[in-house]
Amino acid sequence: LDIGSIIEKSNDPDFVLFRFRRDIHLKIGKLEGLRTALLKILEKRLGPVPAGLRSCLYRIEDTNKLEDLIDQAISIGTIEQLKL
């Protein structure tokens, strides 16, 4: 077995904790990347993003929702059309 297989398959508490922490960090990174992309698209297409909307976007922790918002941001005509 290689080290990757051991880490993924082991029930050793240290490996379980490692996998848990790794997965949390990966999710946080994905959320940050999606938020950054969404804000960049909104700003490039529609101008400055109001602070209140920016704050709402940073509270979203669902990657599917952020991906949906990115799809919306590509096609909407005004920032007010964004459906949170």
Side-chain angles (χ1 to χ4, degrees):
L1 289 175
D2 61 56
I3 189 69
S5 296
I6 293 169
I7 290 171
E8 293 304 317
K9 295 177 182 177
S10 175
N11 289 323
D12 179 279
D14 289 334
F15 288 132
V16 172
L17 181 60
F18 170 82
R19 289 191 304 265
F20 176 76
R21 287 182 175 164
R22 177 203 58 200
D23 293 346
I24 295 239
H25 286 287
L26 289 172
K27 182 176 181 182
I28 290 169
K30 184 171 184 179
L31 288 169
E32 288 176 0
L34 289 169
R35 286 186 193 113
T36 299
L38 175 56
L39 288 167
K40 188 168 190 162
I41 291 166
L42 289 171
E43 289 170 350
K44 293 283 185 185
R45 291 199 66 247
L46 306 169
V49 176
L53 176 56
R54 186 178 293 270
S55 180
C56 285
L57 296 177
Y58 274 98
R59 287 194 301 269
I60 296 172
E61 295 194 8
D62 179 349
T63 56
N64 292 325
K65 179 63 178 174
L66 288 168
E67 288 169 351
D68 176 60
L69 290 170
I70 288 171
D71 289 341
Q72 287 183 52
I74 291 168
S75 61
I76 59 175
T78 67
I79 235 167
E80 292 78 19
Q81 293 175 315
L82 192 65
K83 295 177 184 156
L84 297 176

